[in-house]
Each structure stands twice: as structure tokens, then as C-alpha cells.
Amino acid sequence: MSEKASFRSSGGVRGWFGRQPWYIRGVVVLLAAVAAYLLPYVGDVPLIGPQIVTEGIDWPSALFNMSYYVLLALGLNVVVGYAGLLDLGYVGFFAVGAYGTALLTSPDSILYEDTGWKWLMAVPAALVLTMIAGVILGWPTLRLRGDYLAIVTLGFAEIIRIVATSTTTLRGDRGFASIPHPPGSWGGEPIFGVTDAIPYFWLGLTVIILVILGVRNLDRSRVGRSWLAIREDEEAAEVMGVRTFKYKLWAFAIGAFIGGLGGVLFAGEQSFINSQTFVLQFSILVLAGVVMGGSGNMAGAILGGVLISYIPDRLRGLSFGDTDLYEYRFAIFGAAIILIMVLRPQGLIPSRRRAMELKDREKEVAPQ
């Protein structure tokens, strides 16, 4: 039985969804998208809403935080989940996107007198810069594998942070202020202001949907099949004629592009960035989200991105006796990751192939 047929005949929600006609699946996806756009108003739902919304941070801002974490998880999933490349420095691409936007738009930038661009004009330039950074990182390093590649990407992220901290051009801890917000107005008032984060969440959600459509098409194309072959056995893929270096470089560039999108949205909403925003811990957190949600599966990456943002924000303002739970957010998050990895090592929503691989391994090690 083929993998696709096995998926369609399997039980559970995904099995049911796969057996439905295309128009039923389309209606379900449309309803899910509408529900996602209505999330800012979930607090108005009796009984359920107050248990979900955050207390220490306003709920729309928490939703926007989730949106750029989801973008980062989707981008890293391309690199780690699809192509099988261990990247520990993904925050570097997030930083390049944010700093690219700041350099072109902030009055604090040395380029401002020559450019002085609005946010929307700076987006394509910042994304191109991020993709170039991905190619520059990937070109000399993608011949490495495993731990060696991970160490190189880790060094890339640290180089970005140190350059941002120590150079006068990137202003270190002083950072860049007055980065313009996205354009648009309604009734004479700006849509993207400083008091209401709902439009930022809707913008982030729209970008996420577009990224999902693009990555899904790539996964089902020749590029996606090449990534799968490289992830399973790079040497065998190369012998079979797959241009492994080319497609690994593609994965790095596309992952960098999506990470840069997150940085652009973050800079446009915050209107301020500095070097302390882009620490190594950020990369590790996003990688943990991808693995926890289900590496190689977009739904798993989305869930992982939501959890790594929602859990700390939900703990804000909560206390257990005299103990502020937010102070122990990383301990609680770490315990949750350990529990998930012990009980469900393939992730919360694993890819079909990954789940079948783990089942086969269980059969191999089971006592006869």
C-alpha cells in the first residue's frame, strides 16, 4: 500500500479529512481560516474565552507574537523538516529581515537621508537581503553535514548578534526607533497604529496562509521530492542524479526568506529593534517548537510555533501562591518538551512518513 493510500485509510482526523471530496476539504479549510481570523474575539465566548486569553499581555498582541513565531517555525521546518539540515542559527535570518527594514526606514539609520522609505517599500529589499544572506551562508557550508553544519549555523547567528552589538552602523543596544508601521488608514485613522494589535495579527495570519500555500506547492513539486531524497539518504540521492547541493541551497534560501518575513513584520509592529532582541535562545526555542510539533509537517510546525509563544505569554500574570509562574516559564516549557518527547517522540502532529518510520523502528526493536 502506498504512503498516500495508507494515509487515506488511516483513522483519526487526518484520515477522515483525506477521505473527503475536494470540495468538502475546501469548506473545512475555509471555515478554519475564518475561525483563525476571529481569534481576537475568542475572549468574548462565555466560559471558554477567559480560560484561553492571556492576562499579562493583551490578547491581540499575544496573537501577533504567535504569528511571527509560526512564520519562523514554518521557515525552519523547510530547512530541518523537509531537507534534513540542522540549523541552530535561524534567528540570524530573522535579524537580517528586521535590520534590513530598520536600515531603510528608521530616522536613526545612516541610510535614512538617502532612502527614507516607507515600510512597504522596504519589505522587498529586506527579503532579498535575507535570501542573499541565506545563499552566502549556504554556499561555503552546505558541503558539511550533521553536527558540523549545526556549529557553522550557530556561528552565523552569533556573528550577526556581535556585529549588531559592536558596530555603530547597527547601533548596538541603542537600536533603531521610529520604524514605520505598515500603511493604510480607515476613517482618517491609521489601521496599523500603536494601540490595537488586531490588524497586525490579521496581516501576520494572511502572510502565514500565503507561505503555507507556497511551501505546500514546493513540497509536492520536484523540489520537495528532492528534499525528501536528501533527508532520507544524501549519498543515495546524489548517486541517483539529484543535485543535492543545489536543492540544499534552495532550502536555505527559502527558509531565510520566510524567516526574513517574520523579521519584517516584527520590526513593523514593534517600531523598535536592538541587538538584545536576537539572542541564540530564540533559535533554540524555534527549533524546539518544530521538533515538538512534528518535524516535516506544516501543521506540526504551526502548532509548535503557537505553543512556544502562547505558553510563556499565558504564564504572564499567573501565580501559584506567592510564586510568579512567569519566572519559571522556561522550566515549565522544558518539562513540557521532555514529556512530549517521552510520550510522543514523533511530535504532536508528525508527518506521515516520520510516523511510519518510528512504527517500523518499534517493530524492529520489539522482543520476538
Side-chain angles (χ1 to χ4, degrees), residues 68-100:
Y68 70 76
Y69 270 103
V70 166
L71 272 177
L72 293 174
L74 286 171
L76 188 57
N77 188 52
V78 170
V79 180
V80 176
Y82 290 157
L85 306 172
L86 184 54
D87 186 351
L88 295 180
Y90 194 67
V91 69
F93 301 127
F94 181 70
V96 171
Y99 271 109

Side-chain angles (χ1 to χ4, degrees), residues 3-314:
E3 179 186 342
K4 186 174 181 180
S6 175
F7 164 65
R8 288 181 178 275
S9 62
S10 62
V13 175
R14 286 200 294 173
W16 172 86
F17 186 77
R19 291 190 297 270
Q20 302 309 306
W22 66 268
Y23 53 87
I24 297 295
R25 297 200 299 270
V27 170
V28 171
V29 170
L30 181 61
L31 290 176
V34 171
Y37 277 101
L38 294 176
L39 278 176
Y41 307 104
V42 74
D44 298 329
V45 178
L47 299 178
I48 300 176
Q51 310 305 319
I52 296 175
V53 298
T54 53
E55 296 180 7
I57 177 176
D58 70 284
W59 178 236
S61 295
L63 287 172
F64 174 74
N65 292 343
M66 292 181 214
S67 70
Y68 70 76
Y69 270 103
V70 166
L71 272 177
L72 293 174
L74 286 171
L76 188 57
N77 188 52
V78 170
V79 180
V80 176
Y82 290 157
L85 306 172
L86 184 54
D87 186 351
L88 295 180
Y90 194 67
V91 69
F93 301 127
F94 181 70
V96 171
Y99 271 109
T101 305
L103 283 169
L104 294 172
T105 61
S106 172
D108 296 328
S109 170
I110 60 173
L111 302 178
Y112 183 76
E113 292 184 0
D114 298 323
T115 57
W117 291 0
K118 299 299 183 183
W119 181 86
L120 192 60
M121 295 173 60
V123 169
L127 295 179
V128 169
L129 180 64
T130 309
M131 291 188 73
I132 292 173
V135 172
I136 291 174
L137 173 63
W139 188 268
T141 61
L142 283 178
R143 292 176 176 84
L144 302 173
R145 299 181 187 178
D147 298 340
Y148 300 101
L149 178 61
I151 291 171
V152 170
T153 56
L154 182 65
F156 166 72
E158 281 299 285
I159 289 171
I160 295 291
R161 185 187 64 82
I162 292 170
V163 169
T165 302
S166 58
T167 59
T168 55
T169 302
L170 299 183
R171 295 177 58 83
D173 292 341
R174 293 178 298 164
F176 294 92
S178 302
I179 299 172
H181 297 297
S185 60
W186 181 265
E189 297 292 328
I191 296 174
F192 298 94
V194 296
T195 58
D196 186 6
I198 292 178
Y200 293 102
F201 167 66
W202 284 341
L203 175 62
L205 181 58
T206 304
V207 172
I208 288 170
I209 292 172
L210 295 176
V211 167
I212 289 172
L213 293 175
V215 173
R216 180 176 177 272
N217 288 334
L218 276 174
D219 184 38
R220 298 186 175 193
S221 70
R222 181 179 180 181
V223 176
R225 292 191 293 272
S226 299
W227 286 340
L228 176 60
I230 292 169
R231 187 187 70 192
E232 296 300 320
D233 192 327
E234 185 174 342
E235 293 180 355
E238 197 160 3
V239 169
M240 295 301 293
V242 176
R243 298 173 64 183
T244 56
F245 181 78
K246 169 187 172 181
Y247 288 109
K248 288 196 295 183
L249 200 60
W250 266 76
F252 250 69
I254 293 169
F257 176 87
I258 299 173
L261 266 176
V264 167
L265 290 175
F266 177 81
E269 194 270 345
Q270 294 287 322
S271 196
F272 173 81
I273 61 168
N274 67 3
S275 59
Q276 297 304 310
T277 308
F278 310 103
V279 294
L280 176 62
Q281 176 184 300
F282 204 97
S283 286
I284 305 302
L285 193 62
V286 176
L287 180 60
V290 172
V291 174
M292 180 174 63
S295 179
N297 184 23
M298 277 195 292
I302 291 170
L303 178 60
V306 167
L307 290 178
I308 60 177
S309 175
Y310 176 73
I311 291 176
D313 283 345
R314 185 67 183 90

Side-chain angles (χ1 to χ4, degrees), residues 49-59 309-330 332:
Q51 310 305 319
I52 296 175
V53 298
T54 53
E55 296 180 7
I57 177 176
D58 70 284
W59 178 236
S309 175
Y310 176 73
I311 291 176
D313 283 345
R314 185 67 183 90
L315 293 174
R316 290 177 186 266
L318 295 182
S319 59
F320 183 76
D322 295 330
T323 303
D324 185 2
L325 292 180
Y326 184 71
E327 294 181 2
Y328 296 92
R329 61 192 182 279
F330 293 118
I332 295 171

